[in-house]
Amino acid sequence: MADWYTNFANSGFGTTITKQLGLPRPVELRRYEPGQPLLPGPVVVGSAGAGRLRDTVTAVLRDAGVTVQSPVTADGATGGEKLGAVILDASGLTTPADLASAHDFLAPAIKRLRASGRVLVLADPPADATTPAQAAARQAVDGLVRSIGKELLDGSTANAVFVPEGAEASLAAPLRFFLSGRSAYVDGQLLTVSPADVPANLDEDEPLAGAVAVVTGAARGIGAAIAEVMARDGAHVVAVDVPAAGDALARVADEIGGTALQLDITAADAPQRLVEHLRERHGGVDVVVHNAGITRDKLLVNMDAARWNTVMAVNLQAQLDITQALLDADGVLRDGARVVCVSSQSGIAGNRGQTNYAASKAGVIGMVRAWAPEFAARGATINAVAPGFIVTEMTAKMPFGTREIGSRINSLQQGGLPVDVAETIAWLSQPASAGVNGQTVRVCGQSMLGA
Amino acid sequence: MAENAKPVTRRAAIVGGNRIPFARSGTAYARASNQDMLTATLDGLVARFGLQGESVGEVAAGAVLKHARDFNLTREAVLGSQLAPTTPAYDVQQACGTGLEAAVLVANKIALGQIESGIAGGVDTTSDAPLAVGDDLRRVLISLNSAKTVQDRLKALARIRPGMIVPEIPRNAEPRTGLAMGDHAAITAAEWEIGREEQDELAARSHQRMAAAYDRGFFDDLVTPFLGLARDNNLRPDSSVEKLAKLSPVFGTGEGATMTAGNSTPLTDGASAVLLASDEWAEAKGLPVLAHLVDAQTAAVDYVHGGEGLLMAPVYAVPVMLARNGLTLQDFDFYEIHEAFASTVLATMKAWEDAAFCKEKLGLDAPLGSIDRAKLNVNGSSLAAGHPFAATGGRIVASLAKMLHETGPGKRGLISVCAAGGQGVVAILES
Ligand SMILES: NC(=O)c1ccc[n+]([C@@H]2O[C@H](COP(=O)([O-])OP(=O)(O)OC[C@H]3O[C@@H](n4cnc5c(N)ncnc54)[C@H](O)[C@@H]3O)[C@@H](O)[C@H]2O)c1
């Protein structure tokens, strides 16, 4: 399922050519499949600072049956089994001097990391620091992790999770996600969790079992992949798309045993129709994924009002209106509901010719941040996912050069697949992700744009 | 229990429907077969109601124009669909009444408790219609097939004459009169003195109302696009009496010729399906009950020698059904009278208003009376959508059930469908 260049670069002839020419050598990423072990190799766990999070880390690794090697053995042992992941618990840093032990631990461990390995750093949020030195030490983690992400080869990724005091239980789900193949294209990200009552997933193989999940824009592209992954994870998917895309939508629904709802989300009565449908057919909804989105590119000076307005209506206003209608409808948005809104890299970095699109996608990020407390009060969450360069029918139509450059300017040297976005959204939709709220997670292979 | 009342059975629920947009003959679906269209329609229905891998009680559907390869058409469509292969199916054919008759058959089995759920449907293609060879050529080909030696075969082939190689393209004509359906309708139109303008008005209104219904999103959960078509391509949202008035008559003769291509339905391709069930089945599946099928009636007229119009059978069927249900013609919130021709709808209503006709032909003491036009075909009908013969009934049943549901509980709708062969199928739905 990799793109042509990745396939080519990994062929016998392609390997020779790309090496000789010094071209990027993207590898096929380790992607999740049901039944797959959490990691393809053992883990080493180290500390820099007090190490408040060790218990949570140990419990997650034990439950997943991952072998934990001691860093001492790892250090200097050249012939040992290659590592699946390197985890640094950097909670309790007080001064930048504490970071020296981070360096001491990480350098030899990362040398032993296998392909599609994971580097994960856990720390306290810089914003909660009580002294400038403490804030400096915590913020340093940001630069450290992002740089590791850029140094890693062969499909390996580096990410960080900031865990405030009292939010230790919220760490487990992100930890599993970042270690697993579900996070294949998530790289260089800094996630902050929050304290929450975190329910366990009833079934790790089907974390969405019994859930009703709405996915807009599900007829094709990323939306169709989200629908597939949600169904694989056990959800009944209500696949929504415009009536004109109804045949493709029906095929998606039939493929995954879901249902098709033909609805233009920008219609005046769309929120009400969706609410009624969910109430009548399913008695409520557990997961809502606002994925439908459009582009109408033009330089701002040449952009007519229609382009501006339609993009805003689909990408932002519909998400606001539908979410509000669900919040207002008694009992429809179930307790513990998960809302995931698709933003975009353009909403973070901006993009020439996309003032309307970037504005709408940045708006989504502001929206989830603002709504998070209200959702938390219901045991629910609302988050955004910002895809980078994802290989879809849409991007397949881009000119060759633009497409090739777009897909290579990231640490993983390749475009992501729709399934990578879908896996991230499905993870945020899990009951156990209760402690991730108001966040925007980029699925961009650590793109250089807006980083 | 009153003497003439129906025995107590349960009423079949109409859960919803699906159809593909209808396409004028030889256009978007020119290369699609009956089976392609029916299968796609079933799959759209399955997707709407989450029936993947389900075995429903049975699927009854049919086509009016069938190829020899359409043997066991409905069962073959089921096997190609997302429904469980253990779903039984059979073909029905009652000309333009096929779709509604199929719904009645399924509803009756549900009412009797023989099945809990079922799908009724219909499909037709006039683009991919079977071409028959003439009887002369057919005889030659049969003897060719049974010839044992090369010589016998050559002998058989030698009997072929150029004149034989003209395929018989199926015509929309009555076998017993040789008249096209439109010619029959023109006779009735003349008899009932149906004017050109009122026909054009009815046709324009049908187009305008259906276009408005599409714009409102009314068909969002009734239609699934197919082969690039998202709306019926016969639909003319800008249709008007002025535009229709410019067309020349195509049926009837001389002064009295009023029927044009604009106020008659065109040959059309398409398919439709309706999901019916017991209330319990719908409830258990979390599916809505839009309406119930209350009763149905068929009738046939002797249009060959009996002096009645070919398409007038519903006029006879309705009073029988009304009497059985203790209803008058005015006790309805919606009327769906299939627009085979605008003149058919108008003649039907005129006959019900006519005291002499109601007394002499229908044996009634008083005329059935008139219908509030505001309640007639409110979201358009066949003149706008087109009329793929067997698919029309399913289109009407699903649309009417939705209208009734939207209007609220206890609302009633009347369906009247005329059919070739002098037959008619009518039914009552109630929300
Ligand atoms: N492909 C990428 O590289 C990329 C990158 C960043 C963000 N995104 C975002 O991901 C989402 C999916 O993108 P995609 O690449 O799959 O696009 P796509 O065009 O392939 O799919 C979008 C779907 O949304 C549907 N849709 C559009 N308007 C709608 C409306 N009014 N009501 C209901 N459905 C509607 C479309 O019919 C289509 O099926 C979008 O929000 C997009 O902005 C994509």
Side-chain angles (χ1 to χ4, degrees):
Chain A
M1 268 284 283
D3 61 280
W4 76 269
Y5 183 80
T6 304
N7 283 333
F8 166 72
N10 287 296
S11 66
F13 174 66
T15 306
T16 318
I17 289 282
T18 51
K19 272 189 182 153
Q20 279 172 1
L21 296 179
L23 291 175
R25 305 219 357 91
V27 299
E28 221 181 300
L29 303 179
R30 170 167 65 93
R31 291 195 164 88
Y32 175 75
E33 273 165 32
Q36 194 181 60
L38 187 65
L39 282 166
V43 172
V44 292
V45 185
S47 298
R52 176 169 57 86
L53 302 167
R54 278 303 268 271
D55 291 350
T56 314
V57 173
T58 309
V60 165
L61 296 175
R62 188 192 51 228
D63 291 351
V66 176
T67 310
V68 181
Q69 288 188 354
S70 111
V72 183
T73 322
D75 192 2
T78 44
E81 191 183 350
K82 286 229 170 193
L83 298 174
V86 174
I87 300 173
L88 172 69
D89 179 0
S91 59
L93 291 174
T94 49
T95 73
D98 295 341
L99 289 162
S101 53
H103 166 262
D104 292 347
F105 165 71
L106 289 172
I110 288 175
K111 246 185 211 158
R112 297 189 53 218
L113 199 62
R114 50 172 291 155
S116 281
R118 300 284 187 263
V119 174
L120 203 54
V121 179
L122 315 173
D124 300 293
D128 301 347
T130 50
T131 69
Q134 194 179 43
R138 292 177 177 185
Q139 189 75 40
V141 168
D142 182 316
L144 170 68
V145 168
R146 292 194 207 219
S147 301
I148 295 173
K150 295 189 177 186
E151 290 181 9
L152 289 175
L153 300 169
D154 296 339
S156 292
T157 63
N159 294 285
V161 184
F162 289 117
V163 186
E165 215 52 76
E168 290 73 19
S170 298
L171 173 60
L175 194 59
R176 273 193 301 269
F177 170 70
F178 282 120
L179 296 179
S180 75
R182 290 178 187 265
S183 67
Y185 200 63
V186 182
D187 194 6
Q189 293 306 295
L190 306 145
L191 180 78
T192 303
V193 296
S194 44
D197 280 334
V198 182
N201 289 333
L202 290 179
D203 180 348
E204 276 308 328
D205 289 334
E206 286 202 351
L208 302 178
V212 173
V214 171
V215 181
T216 68
R220 65 177 207 187
I222 295 172
I226 298 168
E228 278 164 36
V229 168
M230 293 266 174
R232 181 205 66 197
D233 281 356
H236 174 90
V237 176
V238 179
V240 177
D241 212 298
V242 288
D247 38 356
L249 185 71
R251 277 194 293 277
V252 169
D254 280 342
E255 189 84 12
I256 62 167
T259 46
L261 175 65
Q262 300 183 158
L263 181 69
D264 179 343
I265 57 166
T266 62
D269 61 352
Q272 221 35 57
R273 275 162 65 187
L274 182 64
V275 164
E276 283 317 311
H277 181 86
L278 293 169
R279 201 202 299 276
E280 181 167 50
R281 294 280 290 274
H282 305 286
V285 65
D286 304 283
V287 178
V288 179
V289 182
H290 294 296
N291 163 76
I294 56 168
T295 52
R296 296 284 183 275
D297 297 358
K298 251 321 181 213
L299 292 178
L300 179 64
V301 290
N302 300 327
M303 186 177 297
D304 55 19
R307 279 173 199 270
W308 181 270
N309 293 334
T310 48
V311 166
M312 280 294 171
V314 178
N315 296 4
L316 186 55
Q317 194 61 46
Q319 295 197 9
L320 275 163
D321 292 347
I322 289 172
T323 308
Q324 189 62 55
L326 288 165
L327 285 167
D328 293 345
D330 235 5
V332 171
L333 196 66
R334 295 204 183 107
D335 288 347
R338 302 279 178 262
V339 175
V340 186
C341 308
V342 177
S343 174
S344 166
Q345 167 169 292
S346 297
I348 296 167
N351 199 11
R352 187 181 143 87
Q354 291 198 319
T355 48
N356 51 356
Y357 182 76
S360 71
K361 294 296 188 178
V364 167
I365 294 171
M367 175 184 79
V368 303
R369 196 188 297 126
W371 242 326
E374 185 179 345
F375 275 73
R378 296 170 165 240
T381 67
I382 181 166
N383 291 289
V385 165
F389 190 95
I390 305 298
V391 182
T392 62
E393 284 168 58
M394 199 168 83
T395 54
K397 287 189 197 119
M398 291 166 72
F400 180 82
T402 319
R403 185 177 71 228
E404 281 311 303
I405 291 168
S407 67
R408 304 293 162 207
I409 49 168
N410 59 70
S411 297
L412 296 173
Q413 300 184 329
Q414 56 189 294
L417 299 181
V419 70
D420 298 329
V421 181
E423 294 285 9
T424 305
I425 290 173
W427 156 64
L428 289 168
S429 305
Q430 294 177 4
S433 297
V436 185
N437 194 9
Q439 304 295 301
T440 296
V441 181
R442 295 184 66 175
V443 184
C444 61
Q446 195 176 25
S447 167
M448 288 179 202
L449 301 177
Chain B
M1 195 162 89
E3 227 165 85
N4 63 348
K6 294 184 297 167
V8 180
T9 54
R10 59 182 180 173
R11 286 174 174 180
I14 292 144
V15 173
N18 184 47
R19 69 180 177 91
I20 55 175
F22 293 168
R24 288 172 70 97
S25 185
T27 62
Y29 305 160
R31 288 158 174 279
S33 68
N34 276 333
Q35 198 183 320
D36 294 340
M37 291 191 285
L38 186 56
T39 308
T41 302
L42 289 174
D43 280 346
L45 189 77
V46 167
R48 187 159 296 143
F49 297 105
L51 302 176
Q52 300 89 356
E54 290 262 348
S55 187
V56 297
E58 74 187 11
V59 180
V64 174
L65 295 177
K66 274 175 147 185
H67 281 275
R69 66 161 187 256
D70 284 335
F71 157 78
N72 231 356
L73 169 67
T74 308
R75 173 65 181 150
E76 289 300 327
V78 166
L79 283 173
S81 79
Q82 296 288 330
L83 290 166
T86 49
T87 303
Y90 63 96
D91 284 22
V92 185
Q93 207 267 59
Q94 197 177 29
C96 315
T98 304
L100 182 54
E101 186 65 82
V104 173
L105 293 170
V106 171
N108 286 352
K109 285 203 182 183
I110 291 167
L112 287 174
Q114 293 170 347
I115 54 175
E116 291 302 313
S117 62
I119 296 171
V123 56
D124 257 298
T125 170
T126 46
S127 306
D128 182 38
L131 294 186
V133 296
D135 283 345
D136 297 345
L137 182 57
R138 196 162 50 83
R139 272 184 219 110
V140 174
L141 293 175
I142 288 171
S143 53
L144 179 68
N145 200 35
S146 54
K148 297 226 159 50
T149 66
V150 175
Q151 257 170 346
D152 286 349
R153 255 176 237 155
L154 287 175
K155 235 186 266 170
L157 280 172
R159 278 162 48 206
I160 295 179
R161 299 281 170 273
M164 292 180 182
I165 319 213
V166 177
E168 287 187 0
I169 294 167
R171 295 194 311 136
N172 191 4
E174 286 299 319
R176 287 178 189 280
T177 59
L179 291 179
M181 191 178 271
D183 296 324
H184 273 286
I187 296 170
T188 305
E191 250 172 54
W192 286 97
E193 294 171 355
I194 308 296
R196 167 77 185 260
E197 203 175 317
E198 51 180 333
Q199 294 179 50
D200 287 348
E201 266 167 23
L202 192 106
R205 203 158 47 227
S206 186
H207 283 279
Q208 290 155 5
R209 286 175 167 181
M210 185 160 280
Y214 266 109
D215 289 344
R216 210 169 60 237
F218 178 77
F219 292 109
D220 283 1
D221 57 358
L222 292 170
V223 174
T224 303
F226 184 60
L227 299 184
L229 209 57
R231 289 187 180 193
D232 314 303
N233 69 6
N234 184 59
L235 185 60
R236 301 279 174 275
D238 57 352
S239 175
S240 67
V241 177
E242 295 70 42
K243 283 183 189 163
L244 289 170
K246 297 201 182 97
L247 301 172
S248 320
V250 290
F251 298 115
T253 45
E255 273 290 287
T258 55
M259 291 173 51
T260 68
N263 58 39
S264 311
T265 49
L267 290 177
T268 318
D269 307 334
S272 69
V274 181
L275 177 62
L276 297 110
S278 66
D279 288 357
E280 298 75 25
W281 187 92
E283 161 117 45
K285 287 253 179 294
L287 295 175
V289 170
L290 302 182
H292 288 99
L293 197 145
V294 174
D295 202 1
Q297 180 71 41
T298 54
V301 294
D302 183 359
Y303 66 99
V304 186
H305 325 95
E308 189 48 271
L310 176 73
L311 302 178
M312 293 296 273
V315 176
Y316 291 76
V318 163
V320 177
M321 183 171 67
L322 291 178
R324 186 164 59 230
N325 289 274
L327 295 170
T328 71
L329 186 59
Q330 288 68 40
D331 290 337
F332 293 87
D333 300 280
F334 296 106
Y335 300 85
E336 284 292 325
I337 305 182
H338 160 50
E339 297 166 344
F341 303 93
S343 66
T344 313
V345 179
L346 295 165
T348 298
M349 293 193 297
K350 221 164 171 180
W352 284 334
E353 288 165 6
D354 191 287
F357 178 88
C358 285
K359 188 164 192 299
E360 284 155 29
K361 297 284 185 95
L362 304 181
L364 303 173
D365 299 335
L368 289 179
S370 61
I371 280 174
D372 180 352
R373 295 291 183 91
K375 300 176 178 173
L376 174 69
N377 298 349
V378 298
N379 287 319
S381 182
S382 302
L383 285 168
H387 170 42
F389 311 121
T392 290
R395 172 185 68 75
I396 294 176
V397 170
S399 293
L400 176 61
K402 178 171 175 177
M403 288 181 237
L404 292 166
H405 183 64
E406 280 184 346
T407 315
K411 302 293 176 192
R412 215 177 277 127
L414 178 70
I415 302 176
S416 164
V417 178
C418 57
Q423 306 205 80
V425 192
V426 302
I428 298 172
L429 305 191
E430 197 176 296
S431 56

